[in-house]
Structures are given as structure tokens and as C-alpha cells.
Amino acid sequence: MKPIKPVIVIHGGAGTISRQAVTAEKEQEYHSALRAILTASQKILTDGGSAVDAVTLAVTMLEDCPLFNAGKGAVFTHAETHELDAAIMRGEDLQAGAVSCVRHIKNPIKAARAIMEQSEHVLLVGDGAEDFARQQSLELVDSNYFSTEARRDQLYRVRDLQGGTALDHSAETLTVQPAPIDEEKKFGTVGAVALDSLGNLAAATSTGGMTNKQVGRVGDSPIFGAGTYADNRTAAVSCTGTGEMFMRMVSAYDVCALMSYTELPLEQATNKVVMEKLSSMGGEGGLIAVDAQGNISLCFNSEGMYRGYAYAGEQDSVTAIFK
Ligand code: ASP
């Protein structure tokens, strides 16, 4: 049997390239943020820690980083509020936990994990999820904590100037330098998948959803099988993109089902789901995935996806934005 090679893979959303507009410094800022997150979560795996701990740390750090649309830096709803979704799943026993439409939980992924480990339920929403987080002594914050000027400008642009919703953070912000991936065309969600030294898989996803979304809207991220899934027999998957399409196509589970029923290798399964099935329905975005052998896939049909991976025990990590 081949030795297991523990690995962590992360994403910070997918979308359209705005390469001309972006400065080298801004691009570097994203690479550095991704690298710091990979280094910290890679260490957990190198030290023999669990895939669940590695993805929890990676997504917590992504939530704390205002560059990404999850936790601090989350986009605004139409009502100028924040509603956050997050999910975590472990492949060993298919245990899972998720929250949706929460407004005060500083790190929604920690609440999702507490549900997975401490609750008989799988998905809690709104006030009930926040009460549960309080009982678990998780940190609650005023929802202003999540706001940044860039996201507010983005809402005003999408809501008041353009009308409609933007699939994620609005693009050109009025007060900040453009991000490498056009914020108007970027699906802003963060996620992590990992394999640990015991051969266990885990997946975690967290998001602020879409700019100018209707209050109460739930995306694919906290829906198991749609935006997040993990099963040791096949793969761990975290998606980003047009949530409604990922839900209708049950994309994360579809990768695992293809591997299980047709014995497709990981890369072929993710390609079929993203490049063929999602694209044929007009869906846009991508996913990250790892299988029980430590094969990884970072697959997207948009022009770019903030992404990276690091194998346990290796010096380097790999980060990328564009194709
Ligand atoms: N999939 C997320 C959602 O629909 C959005 C995203 O990935 O940006 O909420």
C-alpha cells in the first residue's frame, strides 16, 4: 500500500480575471494571505493532527482575513446586513454540521463544527444557531464587525447603481484598489479540504453569500452534497460559484458519486462535474477536492480562483490566482 501523504487544499473564491487593473502589490497580498493560511494548517497535518482540525483552522483564518467574503469582509445583503453560511463534514463517519443566515457569530465555521460534534442536528439557522453558539461559548460580535468600506461601496454599486444581485463581492469598489479577481464577477466563498495521516478526509466551506442577496437567501455552501461533502471512501469537496446551480446539481456529492459508482479517478470526476455538467447548465465557479490517496484537484470554469495547497512535511506551499 502506498504511504498516505497528508495534504491541505484551500480556496478563496472563483471569478473573472481583472489582471490589467491589479497592482503587483495587491496580487502579492492575496498570495501572502493564502500562504500564511496554508503554512499554519499544514503544520497541523505535519504534527499528526486531524483533517478536521486542519480545515477548521484554514477556514477560520480565511474568515478572519478581510480580503475574502466570509466572516470579516463578508458582503452585504440588500438590507445592508450580513448573513453568513458555513459547513463542515468529516469523511470518517459522515458527521456534519452547518449554520445558515447567522449575523453575529464571529467565526461561523466554529459554530458549524460545534453542531457537528455537540448537537444531534446537522443544520441550524438564524437565531437558533446563534443561541446554540452562545451555549457553546463561541464569540459573538456586533454585525458591524463584518463590515468593510469596500463591501459597502460594492453594495451601493450593485443595489443602487446597477440593480439586481452580484454573484459575489461587487467588483470595482469605490475606495479600494481592485482585487486580482474582478469582485463583481467573483464568487466569494472560502473553503478547505484535507487528508490526514490516518487517512481521514474533511471539508469545510464558509461564505457571506452574494452581494445584494435577499435577506433569508441560503446558498450551496451549508447544504451538504451541494457546496460541501466528505466521505473517506471517495473524496472531500468544497465548492464556490453560482450557489443556486450547485444546489440544483448537487455538485459536491456528484463528484463522490461519480467516483463511487463509475470508479472515475478524482481529477476526471471533478472535470466532469465542473467543466461539463456545471458549464452545460450555465453555472460558473469551481471546487477543490482531495481523495483518500492524497490526489488533489483544483478545478474551475471561471477565469481565476484564489487557491493553494501544501503537503505535510514539505517546505513549500503552492498558491495561484489565475489559470
Ligand atoms: N456559492 C456561494 C453562494 O452561492 C457564493 C460563492 O461561492 O461566492 O452563496
Side-chain angles (χ1 to χ4, degrees):
M1 222 171 80
K2 267 199 347 197
I4 294 172
K5 253 183 117 184
V7 62
I8 174 90
V9 189
I10 62 174
H11 73 76
T16 300
I17 294 177
S18 61
R19 199 165 211 165
Q20 303 85 331
V22 73
T23 62
E25 280 104 323
K26 195 74 191 171
E27 209 177 311
Q28 236 5 82
E29 211 184 315
Y30 279 85
H31 282 289
S32 307
L34 293 171
R35 256 197 308 273
I37 292 161
L38 284 170
T39 303
S41 38
Q42 175 192 37
K43 183 165 188 316
I44 290 182
L45 297 174
T46 304
D47 294 346
S50 71
V52 167
D53 282 347
V55 298
T56 305
L57 179 67
V59 171
T60 301
M61 291 177 79
L62 285 157
E63 286 176 341
D64 289 344
C65 178
L67 294 175
F68 304 105
N69 169 23
K72 185 156 187 69
V75 299
F76 284 93
T77 66
H78 183 75
E80 220 170 322
T81 55
H82 300 286
E83 293 194 344
L84 313 175
D85 299 341
I88 187 165
M89 183 161 183
R90 63 180 189 226
E92 190 185 351
D93 53 6
L94 307 188
Q95 282 291 346
V99 292
S100 184
C101 297
V102 295
R103 296 168 168 223
H104 302 286
I105 301 173
K106 184 177 178 215
N107 289 107
I109 197 63
K110 291 186 181 171
R113 179 159 177 184
I115 291 168
M116 176 172 82
E117 292 176 341
Q118 311 293 341
S119 160
E120 58 183 306
H121 304 302
V122 167
L123 170 61
L124 293 175
V125 306
D127 292 346
E130 301 200 331
D131 286 345
F132 177 79
R134 205 170 286 114
Q135 284 158 24
Q136 295 293 316
S137 308
L138 294 177
E139 190 173 351
L140 298 181
V141 290
D142 186 284
S143 63
N144 284 335
Y145 162 80
F146 301 113
S147 308
T148 61
E149 277 321 295
R151 297 287 183 235
R152 205 181 292 278
D153 286 346
Q154 200 173 328
L155 171 70
Y156 295 158
R157 179 165 292 255
V158 173
R159 186 184 66 183
D160 305 336
L161 303 181
Q162 295 174 356
T165 57
L167 279 166
D168 80 328
H169 332 222
S170 62
E172 268 167 72
T173 55
L174 303 175
T175 56
V176 298
Q177 277 189 345
I181 293 180
D182 184 337
E183 293 288 300
E184 247 168 47
K185 306 252 174 63
K186 172 179 169 282
F187 308 104
T189 284
V190 306
V193 295
L195 168 70
D196 65 28
S197 56
L198 296 178
N200 289 319
L201 295 173
T205 312
S206 181
T207 188
M210 305 194 308
T211 295
N212 201 29
K213 68 183 179 182
Q214 189 175 322
V215 169
R217 180 261 184 188
V218 180
D220 60 312
S221 310
I223 306 298
F224 293 103
T228 308
Y229 203 73
D231 181 346
N232 276 6
R233 291 166 298 185
T234 49
V237 184
S238 170
C239 303
T240 174
T242 38
E244 280 68 11
M245 209 60 87
F246 283 80
M247 281 193 272
R248 290 163 59 194
M249 305 198 62
V250 204
S251 301
Y253 180 72
D254 200 17
V255 170
C256 298
L258 282 166
M259 293 175 72
S260 164
Y261 297 135
T262 70
E263 294 182 16
L264 273 192
L266 182 78
E267 187 67 27
Q268 277 159 263
T270 59
N271 260 293
K272 193 166 190 61
V273 167
V274 176
M275 307 310 256
E276 291 178 33
K277 298 176 87 171
L278 186 70
S279 297
S280 73
M281 294 282 287
E284 200 192 336
L287 57 79
I288 53 171
V290 57
D291 69 16
Q293 286 70 50
N295 299 306
I296 62 171
S297 174
L298 302 89
C299 183
F300 51 100
N301 68 5
S302 47
E303 288 178 45
M305 179 164 83
Y306 297 114
R307 62 198 187 277
Y309 61 89
Y311 282 93
E314 289 186 1
Q315 268 318 15
D316 296 327
S317 58
V318 175
T319 61
I321 300 173
F322 305 107
K323 264 195 180 132

